[in-house]
Amino acid sequence: MLRIVAIALAAGTMASTGVLAQDVKVGVVLPLTGGLAPVGKQVQAGIKLYMDKNGATVAGKKIDLIIKDDAGVPDNSKRLAQELIVNDKVAIIGSGITPSAMAIGPLSTQGKTANVVTVSGTSGVINPNNPYMVRTSFTLGQQSGIIAEWAAKNGSKKVAIVQSDWAPGAEATAVFTDAFTKAGGQIVETIKVPLANPDFAPFLQRARDANPDTLFVFVPAGQAGTFAKQFAERGLDKAGIKLIGPGDIVDDNDLPGMGDAMLGVVTAGIYSVLHNSPTNKEYVAAFKKANGYRPNFISLGGYDGMHLIYEALKKTQGKTDGESLINAMKGMKWESPRGPISIDPDTRDIVQSIYIGKVEKVDGELYDVEFATFEAVKDPLKKK
Ligand code: PHB
């Protein structure tokens, strides 16, 4: 008799919420179609790999993953996140690129829902007004100041900047310009290229006409291949202009098809598939086996985002309110395939190593070969 009552109660719980009480729903909004689809696909692959490796049960609860495609359009991101929070009652939301993360931020704040930002590289996305947000990706500032100082020390005097025209590009330019001019260099031209369907050729011509010794370029993941092709077609590699940037221009997903014009390109980035650690070797092998292509720096926001969620759930013993989860995430440290990373307990932003690397041919394929490391780099736009 007692048992029957217990079953009836459990069934009642199921009927009212539509899910088993033990499930933890994680809803992730990514661009899986549209111009930035390569970004969403890398994050999705990173998330799936983590779950395949670690199983779908954590702290006695089953993780129920729901991925939605916003096509990179922030109005879609907002609507989908609203549905995930209100209808699906997700315990945790994952957001992607900057405009999407900005659209979802206020919803996760209102709903007191933990929000793991897996792609955005814009500093202000993680801010005091949205206390349930945490970042597992990177910021453009983390990389751009370091490459500016490296360039100034290594003979660059006159730089032209080519920047994808949206928030992360503006930050790459601002941080680079500040550090490079402080180091005694000059910016001869700053050129903004539209984010959607970019044709780089006319902008590269303008950059060349400014007669720089070095080109600093930010394009988002997935556009490096097109950029490299047009860079070579315009003969900029032969004109003796050095190419530098944050890690996005040596996107590992695109590198194998980029051509020898990219040999010698130096970047400051968060990741190379050749990163020399047992953790990374295992990651790259498993990722390639599952997907048939290389993981890039973007994939890690998804992989490490899931790690952060799993470890936080272990710490809270399965409690999923935003406050408990975010408190558990603050200060968390672990070894990612990219190297050691942590969540700054004060800002909820990611702290990680930045690697200076150079494009070389290894076993007949192009790779970013890391040659210098800056440890525990914070987002410079948040440093007091
Ligand atoms: C971003 O959404 O801020 C973003 C996306 C792709 C990148 C860099 C930044 O490669």
PDB file of all heavy atoms in Angstrom, residues 39 97-98 119-122 138 140 166 168 218-221 248 297-298, ligand 1:
ATOM      1  N   VAL A  39      31.383  27.972 -36.032  1.00  0.00           N
ATOM      2  CA  VAL A  39      31.604  28.239 -34.610  1.00  0.00           C
ATOM      3  C   VAL A  39      30.699  27.336 -33.766  1.00  0.00           C
ATOM      4  O   VAL A  39      31.154  26.616 -32.871  1.00  0.00           O
ATOM      5  CB  VAL A  39      31.330  29.739 -34.302  1.00  0.00           C
ATOM      6  CG1 VAL A  39      31.282  30.000 -32.808  1.00  0.00           C
ATOM      7  CG2 VAL A  39      32.385  30.624 -34.974  1.00  0.00           C
ATOM      8  N   ILE A  97      27.891  33.132 -29.234  1.00  0.00           N
ATOM      9  CA  ILE A  97      28.608  34.314 -29.725  1.00  0.00           C
ATOM     10  C   ILE A  97      28.136  35.585 -29.011  1.00  0.00           C
ATOM     11  O   ILE A  97      27.070  35.604 -28.395  1.00  0.00           O
ATOM     12  CB  ILE A  97      28.450  34.468 -31.255  1.00  0.00           C
ATOM     13  CG1 ILE A  97      26.969  34.608 -31.652  1.00  0.00           C
ATOM     14  CG2 ILE A  97      29.067  33.275 -31.975  1.00  0.00           C
ATOM     15  CD1 ILE A  97      26.770  35.004 -33.104  1.00  0.00           C
ATOM     16  N   THR A  98      28.924  36.650 -29.142  1.00  0.00           N
ATOM     17  CA  THR A  98      28.682  37.873 -28.385  1.00  0.00           C
ATOM     18  C   THR A  98      27.248  38.416 -28.492  1.00  0.00           C
ATOM     19  O   THR A  98      26.606  38.623 -27.452  1.00  0.00           O
ATOM     20  CB  THR A  98      29.712  38.953 -28.788  1.00  0.00           C
ATOM     21  OG1 THR A  98      30.997  38.545 -28.313  1.00  0.00           O
ATOM     22  CG2 THR A  98      29.367  40.311 -28.194  1.00  0.00           C
ATOM     23  N   VAL A 119      31.370  30.995 -26.120  1.00  0.00           N
ATOM     24  CA  VAL A 119      32.078  31.527 -27.291  1.00  0.00           C
ATOM     25  C   VAL A 119      32.516  32.985 -27.123  1.00  0.00           C
ATOM     26  O   VAL A 119      33.652  33.334 -27.449  1.00  0.00           O
ATOM     27  CB  VAL A 119      31.220  31.461 -28.583  1.00  0.00           C
ATOM     28  CG1 VAL A 119      32.026  31.960 -29.781  1.00  0.00           C
ATOM     29  CG2 VAL A 119      30.720  30.054 -28.852  1.00  0.00           C
ATOM     30  N   SER A 120      31.643  33.839 -26.663  1.00  0.00           N
ATOM     31  CA  SER A 120      31.884  35.284 -26.724  1.00  0.00           C
ATOM     32  C   SER A 120      33.278  35.666 -26.230  1.00  0.00           C
ATOM     33  O   SER A 120      33.742  35.193 -25.195  1.00  0.00           O
ATOM     34  CB  SER A 120      30.855  36.040 -25.888  1.00  0.00           C
ATOM     35  OG  SER A 120      31.218  37.417 -25.847  1.00  0.00           O
ATOM     36  N   GLY A 121      33.910  36.555 -27.003  1.00  0.00           N
ATOM     37  CA  GLY A 121      35.236  37.059 -26.647  1.00  0.00           C
ATOM     38  C   GLY A 121      35.210  38.527 -26.262  1.00  0.00           C
ATOM     39  O   GLY A 121      36.242  39.187 -26.257  1.00  0.00           O
ATOM     40  N   THR A 122      34.019  39.044 -25.965  1.00  0.00           N
ATOM     41  CA  THR A 122      33.865  40.461 -25.640  1.00  0.00           C
ATOM     42  C   THR A 122      33.830  40.646 -24.128  1.00  0.00           C
ATOM     43  O   THR A 122      33.004  40.033 -23.442  1.00  0.00           O
ATOM     44  CB  THR A 122      32.556  40.985 -26.268  1.00  0.00           C
ATOM     45  OG1 THR A 122      32.589  40.702 -27.671  1.00  0.00           O
ATOM     46  CG2 THR A 122      32.397  42.476 -26.063  1.00  0.00           C
ATOM     47  N   PHE A 138      37.152  33.002 -23.953  1.00  0.00           N
ATOM     48  CA  PHE A 138      38.371  33.817 -24.002  1.00  0.00           C
ATOM     49  C   PHE A 138      37.915  35.252 -24.167  1.00  0.00           C
ATOM     50  O   PHE A 138      36.723  35.502 -24.412  1.00  0.00           O
ATOM     51  CB  PHE A 138      39.232  33.424 -25.229  1.00  0.00           C
ATOM     52  CG  PHE A 138      38.410  33.365 -26.495  1.00  0.00           C
ATOM     53  CD1 PHE A 138      38.120  34.503 -27.239  1.00  0.00           C
ATOM     54  CD2 PHE A 138      37.838  32.163 -26.922  1.00  0.00           C
ATOM     55  CE1 PHE A 138      37.322  34.449 -28.375  1.00  0.00           C
ATOM     56  CE2 PHE A 138      37.027  32.101 -28.062  1.00  0.00           C
ATOM     57  CZ  PHE A 138      36.784  33.253 -28.786  1.00  0.00           C
ATOM     58  N   LEU A 140      39.164  38.781 -26.507  1.00  0.00           N
ATOM     59  CA  LEU A 140      40.111  39.267 -27.521  1.00  0.00           C
ATOM     60  C   LEU A 140      41.197  40.109 -26.865  1.00  0.00           C
ATOM     61  O   LEU A 140      42.345  40.113 -27.303  1.00  0.00           O
ATOM     62  CB  LEU A 140      39.372  40.061 -28.606  1.00  0.00           C
ATOM     63  CG  LEU A 140      38.880  39.223 -29.784  1.00  0.00           C
ATOM     64  CD1 LEU A 140      39.988  38.379 -30.382  1.00  0.00           C
ATOM     65  CD2 LEU A 140      37.736  38.311 -29.402  1.00  0.00           C
ATOM     66  N   TRP A 166      32.458  44.146 -35.467  1.00  0.00           N
ATOM     67  CA  TRP A 166      31.500  43.897 -34.380  1.00  0.00           C
ATOM     68  C   TRP A 166      32.274  43.933 -33.066  1.00  0.00           C
ATOM     69  O   TRP A 166      33.491  44.172 -33.083  1.00  0.00           O
ATOM     70  CB  TRP A 166      30.704  42.614 -34.600  1.00  0.00           C
ATOM     71  CG  TRP A 166      31.492  41.342 -34.807  1.00  0.00           C
ATOM     72  CD1 TRP A 166      32.599  41.183 -35.594  1.00  0.00           C
ATOM     73  CD2 TRP A 166      31.233  40.060 -34.226  1.00  0.00           C
ATOM     74  NE1 TRP A 166      33.037  39.885 -35.550  1.00  0.00           N
ATOM     75  CE2 TRP A 166      32.210  39.179 -34.716  1.00  0.00           C
ATOM     76  CE3 TRP A 166      30.265  39.577 -33.356  1.00  0.00           C
ATOM     77  CZ2 TRP A 166      32.252  37.819 -34.346  1.00  0.00           C
ATOM     78  CZ3 TRP A 166      30.316  38.227 -33.007  1.00  0.00           C
ATOM     79  CH2 TRP A 166      31.289  37.367 -33.488  1.00  0.00           C
ATOM     80  N   PRO A 168      33.694  42.013 -30.656  1.00  0.00           N
ATOM     81  CA  PRO A 168      35.009  41.436 -30.355  1.00  0.00           C
ATOM     82  C   PRO A 168      36.121  42.063 -31.210  1.00  0.00           C
ATOM     83  O   PRO A 168      37.259  42.216 -30.738  1.00  0.00           O
ATOM     84  CB  PRO A 168      34.843  39.944 -30.665  1.00  0.00           C
ATOM     85  CG  PRO A 168      33.590  39.814 -31.454  1.00  0.00           C
ATOM     86  CD  PRO A 168      32.726  40.986 -31.110  1.00  0.00           C
ATOM     87  N   PHE A 218      41.900  40.694 -37.112  1.00  0.00           N
ATOM     88  CA  PHE A 218      40.924  39.874 -36.395  1.00  0.00           C
ATOM     89  C   PHE A 218      39.767  39.528 -37.315  1.00  0.00           C
ATOM     90  O   PHE A 218      39.058  40.416 -37.801  1.00  0.00           O
ATOM     91  CB  PHE A 218      40.350  40.570 -35.145  1.00  0.00           C
ATOM     92  CG  PHE A 218      39.132  39.827 -34.628  1.00  0.00           C
ATOM     93  CD1 PHE A 218      39.268  38.597 -33.988  1.00  0.00           C
ATOM     94  CD2 PHE A 218      37.849  40.304 -34.848  1.00  0.00           C
ATOM     95  CE1 PHE A 218      38.151  37.871 -33.569  1.00  0.00           C
ATOM     96  CE2 PHE A 218      36.718  39.586 -34.428  1.00  0.00           C
ATOM     97  CZ  PHE A 218      36.873  38.368 -33.782  1.00  0.00           C
ATOM     98  N   VAL A 219      39.600  38.250 -37.588  1.00  0.00           N
ATOM     99  CA  VAL A 219      38.363  37.739 -38.188  1.00  0.00           C
ATOM    100  C   VAL A 219      37.901  36.596 -37.290  1.00  0.00           C
ATOM    101  O   VAL A 219      38.718  35.938 -36.669  1.00  0.00           O
ATOM    102  CB  VAL A 219      38.562  37.228 -39.641  1.00  0.00           C
ATOM    103  CG1 VAL A 219      38.981  38.357 -40.558  1.00  0.00           C
ATOM    104  CG2 VAL A 219      39.551  36.075 -39.718  1.00  0.00           C
ATOM    105  N   PRO A 220      36.578  36.371 -37.181  1.00  0.00           N
ATOM    106  CA  PRO A 220      36.125  35.299 -36.299  1.00  0.00           C
ATOM    107  C   PRO A 220      36.431  33.918 -36.870  1.00  0.00           C
ATOM    108  O   PRO A 220      36.631  33.771 -38.080  1.00  0.00           O
ATOM    109  CB  PRO A 220      34.617  35.529 -36.215  1.00  0.00           C
ATOM    110  CG  PRO A 220      34.266  36.242 -37.461  1.00  0.00           C
ATOM    111  CD  PRO A 220      35.456  37.077 -37.825  1.00  0.00           C
ATOM    112  N   ALA A 221      36.438  32.923 -35.990  1.00  0.00           N
ATOM    113  CA  ALA A 221      36.634  31.537 -36.396  1.00  0.00           C
ATOM    114  C   ALA A 221      35.708  31.224 -37.559  1.00  0.00           C
ATOM    115  O   ALA A 221      34.570  31.660 -37.597  1.00  0.00           O
ATOM    116  CB  ALA A 221      36.319  30.612 -35.225  1.00  0.00           C
ATOM    117  N   ASP A 248      42.502  33.691 -33.689  1.00  0.00           N
ATOM    118  CA  ASP A 248      41.406  33.412 -34.636  1.00  0.00           C
ATOM    119  C   ASP A 248      41.874  33.275 -36.088  1.00  0.00           C
ATOM    120  O   ASP A 248      41.239  32.571 -36.867  1.00  0.00           O
ATOM    121  CB  ASP A 248      40.364  34.532 -34.562  1.00  0.00           C
ATOM    122  CG  ASP A 248      39.985  34.859 -33.132  1.00  0.00           C
ATOM    123  OD1 ASP A 248      40.870  35.303 -32.368  1.00  0.00           O
ATOM    124  OD2 ASP A 248      38.838  34.654 -32.758  1.00  0.00           O
ATOM    125  N   PHE A 297      40.187  26.388 -31.277  1.00  0.00           N
ATOM    126  CA  PHE A 297      40.091  27.078 -29.980  1.00  0.00           C
ATOM    127  C   PHE A 297      38.648  27.250 -29.522  1.00  0.00           C
ATOM    128  O   PHE A 297      38.366  27.294 -28.335  1.00  0.00           O
ATOM    129  CB  PHE A 297      40.815  28.431 -30.053  1.00  0.00           C
ATOM    130  CG  PHE A 297      40.180  29.433 -30.988  1.00  0.00           C
ATOM    131  CD1 PHE A 297      39.409  30.472 -30.477  1.00  0.00           C
ATOM    132  CD2 PHE A 297      40.348  29.347 -32.362  1.00  0.00           C
ATOM    133  CE1 PHE A 297      38.813  31.402 -31.323  1.00  0.00           C
ATOM    134  CE2 PHE A 297      39.742  30.270 -33.211  1.00  0.00           C
ATOM    135  CZ  PHE A 297      38.977  31.293 -32.701  1.00  0.00           C
ATOM    136  N   ILE A 298      37.726  27.338 -30.473  1.00  0.00           N
ATOM    137  CA  ILE A 298      36.314  27.528 -30.142  1.00  0.00           C
ATOM    138  C   ILE A 298      35.733  26.293 -29.447  1.00  0.00           C
ATOM    139  O   ILE A 298      34.923  26.411 -28.528  1.00  0.00           O
ATOM    140  CB  ILE A 298      35.520  27.834 -31.439  1.00  0.00           C
ATOM    141  CG1 ILE A 298      35.893  29.206 -32.014  1.00  0.00           C
ATOM    142  CG2 ILE A 298      34.012  27.703 -31.228  1.00  0.00           C
ATOM    143  CD1 ILE A 298      35.315  30.403 -31.328  1.00  0.00           C
TER     144      ILE A 298
HETATM  145  C1  PHB B   1      32.452  36.285 -30.279  1.00  0.00           C
HETATM  146  O1  PHB B   1      31.286  35.918 -30.380  1.00  0.00           O
HETATM  147  O2  PHB B   1      32.778  37.200 -29.506  1.00  0.00           O
HETATM  148  C2  PHB B   1      33.512  35.617 -31.098  1.00  0.00           C
HETATM  149  C3  PHB B   1      33.179  34.623 -32.004  1.00  0.00           C
HETATM  150  C4  PHB B   1      34.173  34.024 -32.755  1.00  0.00           C
HETATM  151  C5  PHB B   1      35.503  34.407 -32.584  1.00  0.00           C
HETATM  152  C6  PHB B   1      35.826  35.384 -31.670  1.00  0.00           C
HETATM  153  C7  PHB B   1      34.827  36.005 -30.929  1.00  0.00           C
HETATM  154  O3  PHB B   1      36.476  33.823 -33.286  1.00  0.00           O
END
